[in-house]
Amino acid sequence: MAAPSEIRTLAARLAVAAIVGCLPAGAALLHEALGPFERLGPQPYSPPEHEIFDEFGLEEAEEAEYRTPDGRSVRVRALQFYDDTGAVAAYSWLRPAGATEVERGERAVEKGDLILIHFANYVVSLEGDTPDEEDIEIALAYLPRPKPTADPPVLQYVPADVLVPDSGRHVLGPLSLERLAPELSPAVVGFHFGTEGYYGRYSAPGGEVRMIIWTYPSNPIAKGQVPEFHGLERVVAKQDGPLIAAVLDPSSPDEAQLLLARVRYRAEVTQHVEDPKRHENLGNVILDTFILCGLLALLMVLGGVLVAGTRRLAGRFAPDSIIAPPEGPGMQRLGIDAPGPPRPPAG
């Protein structure tokens, strides 16, 4: 099960989607304005590695130039993917080397006049004069049909302390696999299981080592696939739960084993504790009974005051109305206590 922090993150994303997800289905990806920047006209955009981005689930891409009256301009590109995983994968491929992380969207980097942002199932880039931070956040909120979901689970198993900066890439299909690790075949990986991988170069005493961490839907699937990796030359692999970590062409078996030891599957289980029902507590039942009786008594008093006050006011200002009290004494006596005539004797 997901960790509480992941659940809170997912809840926040769903809240954003609930607010902005009601835009028309045919709406343009890019908003009409970025603060003082006015959009000149959106156009379809084709990323440089379009076939790989199609593998990531690219659905639509758009670019537009924005200008201000004083001559400032920025070119904005928005790429919409089927889900958050595809957007995270594209973000890792588009991230420029040496960029600095900044606070935008869910994750973002900045290098020179370029800002790259990941938000839900979108990757947005801005190049040129930078708009204000608030205007950028508003533009992200206006992106149509966002699908915020949890980040790919493989990220939590990456040994980030030895990862070479800017070397991480997601692998979601045969094309991205061939680009990064041609020594592995799609049949060995088993993409038909819904397999996702994370490629990276890692620092080691003998130099950089390449490794891909694969996540499978379940432990049995990973266990059945690991013999395919063990049959490859110059590949050292291990299985841990639903993970298979494969070191590619290591300089020595010892370095491969040291790196593989850093990949450990951690099953996170959150215990479901059901809150006790209020009616299951005897003290609450007694307290609620007294509260109910008090409310009923208060309603009776207020109702009597209301009726008596209404009749009194009607008797003063509308004596002929139906709700006015009758004229004469307010109480009728039947006289049943008065002695009657004597009865004749029986017989």
Side-chain angles (χ1 to χ4, degrees), residues 101-119:
E101 294 186 357
V102 293
E103 294 290 336
R104 300 285 193 282
E106 296 181 32
R107 52 173 60 87
V109 292
E110 184 177 13
K111 184 177 182 181
D113 62 352
L114 173 66
I115 299 177
L116 185 68
I117 305 171
H118 162 236
F119 174 75

Side-chain angles (χ1 to χ4, degrees), residues 202-209 251 255:
Y202 298 87
S203 301
E208 293 184 359
V209 179
S251 58
E255 286 191 349

Side-chain angles (χ1 to χ4, degrees), residues 314-339:
R316 176 176 297 183
F317 299 104
D320 296 332
S321 65
I322 190 172
I323 62 175
E327 296 182 358
M331 181 179 296
Q332 298 290 335
R333 292 185 175 272
L334 299 179
I336 57 177
D337 296 333

Side-chain angles (χ1 to χ4, degrees), residues 125-151:
S125 66
L126 300 91
E127 189 172 7
D129 296 307
T130 305
D132 293 338
E133 179 179 352
E134 181 179 353
D135 295 331
I136 294 177
E137 294 297 330
I138 293 176
L140 294 177
Y142 273 98
L143 291 171
R145 305 177 301 281
K147 297 178 182 178
T149 55
D151 282 340

Side-chain angles (χ1 to χ4, degrees), residues 294-334:
L295 289 176
L296 292 176
L298 179 61
L299 290 176
M300 292 172 60
V301 172
L302 292 177
V305 172
L306 179 62
V307 172
T310 302
R311 290 176 62 84
R312 184 174 291 274
L313 290 175
R316 176 176 297 183
F317 299 104
D320 296 332
S321 65
I322 190 172
I323 62 175
E327 296 182 358
M331 181 179 296
Q332 298 290 335
R333 292 185 175 272
L334 299 179

Side-chain angles (χ1 to χ4, degrees), residues 168-239:
R169 299 288 187 273
H170 283 266
V171 182
L172 302 183
L175 295 177
S176 52
L177 176 65
E178 183 181 5
R179 182 69 59 86
L180 297 173
E183 54 265 58
L184 296 180
S185 68
V188 169
V189 175
F191 286 109
H192 59 285
F193 294 119
T195 311
E196 299 175 2
Y198 188 86
Y199 168 92
R201 301 194 310 273
Y202 298 87
S203 301
E208 293 184 359
V209 179
R210 297 184 300 145
M211 180 175 66
I212 303 182
I213 304 174
W214 301 100
T215 59
Y216 290 84
S218 65
N219 295 9
I221 293 178
K223 185 177 181 180
Q225 202 67 20
V226 73
E228 301 288 340
F229 289 89
H230 289 164
L232 299 175
E233 296 183 359
R234 304 299 298 168
V235 175
V236 181
K238 81 161 188 177
Q239 180 222 346

